């Protein structure tokens, strides 16, 4: 049955005349606290990248880990207040555990996993494997005999499940960083407490949602090779990546509450409108002049990935009323 135009999600902003762009971009915040200006800027960029290429834009809540009650609702409200829109329902990772289990089961049946009983301390104390890059899991549990495994199981500590990777590094292409080669080790797929690992969930979800463009902070650039490699093992196509610069405070630290008025709520408390905050983000991306009014349709018209600043955004912020002496 063909859909009437009435049922087609209206795209309120410019769509690029490309008949081949059918994929999606996304923003995938962890609901561990409020989004700060750096996160909002990344969300804006993810939206601009997706919408300027005619892609859908999807929202996913990555709540397998640290969750602060109410954070999810606040994050989505802040994004909406900036004017960002997304297609379809918000996907919530904690509703999707079965999909992660299925992916793990496929890797398990292909012989690509092993149980790992190591504590963090044991891993830190272990000598690194010869030629293994710094920070790689040193393979302590990779080749346990069945007796050794039995003895460790008897210890009662539930094992994590690791990937048996057969490469040490993998290369991806990034729209901003070019070709980037990074470490792949025997990464954790499922933690000892049963929680699916971020690297697994992100790969499963991006593919399931039809995401073919991942725009996120460049603190995750080094995770991309692992994720792309894992996608390949699962028979999935890795997305296109764009890892964007982070926001830093004046001391060069990652933005955090201590830097001052870092959230949309803080900015509003100082008398700025969401539109002015959008203007601040746009100016930081050199899409508008400082203090120029910004609107999303206009930003979309000006957006040109190759002209984006490549260096971190260093912000000076007034303190919030609650931080003032
Ligand atoms: N949930 C992650 C974060 O908030 C982002 C993951 C991703 O974009 O792949 O840092």
């Amino acid at each position: 049955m063909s859909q009437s135009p009435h049922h087609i999600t209206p795209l309120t902003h410019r769509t690029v005349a490309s008949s081949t762009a059918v994929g999606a971009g996304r923003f995938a915040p962890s609901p561990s606290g409020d989004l700060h200006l750096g996160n909002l800027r990344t969300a804006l960029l993810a939206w601009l990248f997706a919408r300027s290429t005619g892609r859908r834009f999807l929202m996913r809540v990555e709540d397998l880990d640290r969750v602060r009650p109410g954070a999810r609702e606040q994050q989505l409200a802040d994004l909406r207040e900036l004017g960002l829109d997304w297609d379809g329902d918000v996907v919530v990772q904690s509703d999707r555990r079965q999909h992660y289990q299925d992916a793990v089961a496929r890797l398990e049946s292909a012989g690509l996993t092993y149980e790992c009983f190591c504590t963090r301390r044991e891993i830190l104390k272990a000598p690194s494997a010869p030629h293994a890059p710094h920070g790689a899991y040193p393979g302590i549990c990779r080749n346990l005999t069945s007796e050794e495994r039995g003895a460790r199981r008897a210890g009662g500590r539930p094992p994590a499940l690791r990937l048996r990777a057969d490469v040490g590094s993998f290369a991806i292409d990034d729209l901003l960083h070019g070709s980037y080669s990074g470490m792949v080790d025997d990464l954790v797929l499922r933690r000892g407490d049963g929680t699916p690992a971020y690297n697994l969930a992100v790969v499963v979800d991006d593919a399931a949602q039809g995401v073919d463009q991942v725009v996120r902070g460049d603190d995750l650039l080094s995770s991309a090779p692992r994720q792309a490699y894992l996608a390949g093992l699962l028979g999935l196509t890795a997305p296109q990546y764009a890892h964007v610069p982070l926001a830093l405070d004046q001391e060069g630290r990652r933005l955090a509450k201590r830097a001052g008025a870092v959230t949309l709520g803080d900015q509003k408390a100082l008398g700025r409108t969401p539109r002015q905050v959008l203007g601040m983000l746009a100016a930081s991306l050199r899409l508008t002049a400082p203090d120029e009014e910004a609107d999303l349709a206009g930003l979309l018209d000006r957006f040109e990935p190759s002209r984006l600043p490549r260096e971190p955004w260093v912000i000076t912020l007034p303190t919030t009323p609650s931080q003032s002496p």
Side-chain angles (χ1 to χ4, degrees), residues 114 116 118 120 122-140 142 162-163 165 167-169 182-188 226:
Y114 63 89
C116 173
C118 292
R120 217 173 280 254
E122 282 171 316
I123 295 174
L124 286 175
K125 275 191 349 210
S128 44
H131 315 300
H134 181 73
Y137 174 67
I140 304 164
R142 186 177 168 113
R162 285 187 182 273
L163 179 71
V167 299
S169 69
M183 176 179 85
V184 176
D185 69 346
D186 288 356
L187 53 104
V188 171
R226 287 192 190 92

Side-chain angles (χ1 to χ4, degrees), residues 26-32 35 39 60-62 66 75 93 198 202 206 214-217 219-220 227:
R26 47 65 158 189
F27 186 58
S30 304
S32 54
L35 296 174
N39 304 134
R60 182 168 75 231
V61 173
E62 301 209 324
R66 307 146 287 133
Q75 290 183 339
Q93 286 193 324
Y198 157 68
V202 81
D206 282 339
V214 166
V215 177
R216 59 187 176 190
D219 53 332
L220 288 169
Q227 294 170 5

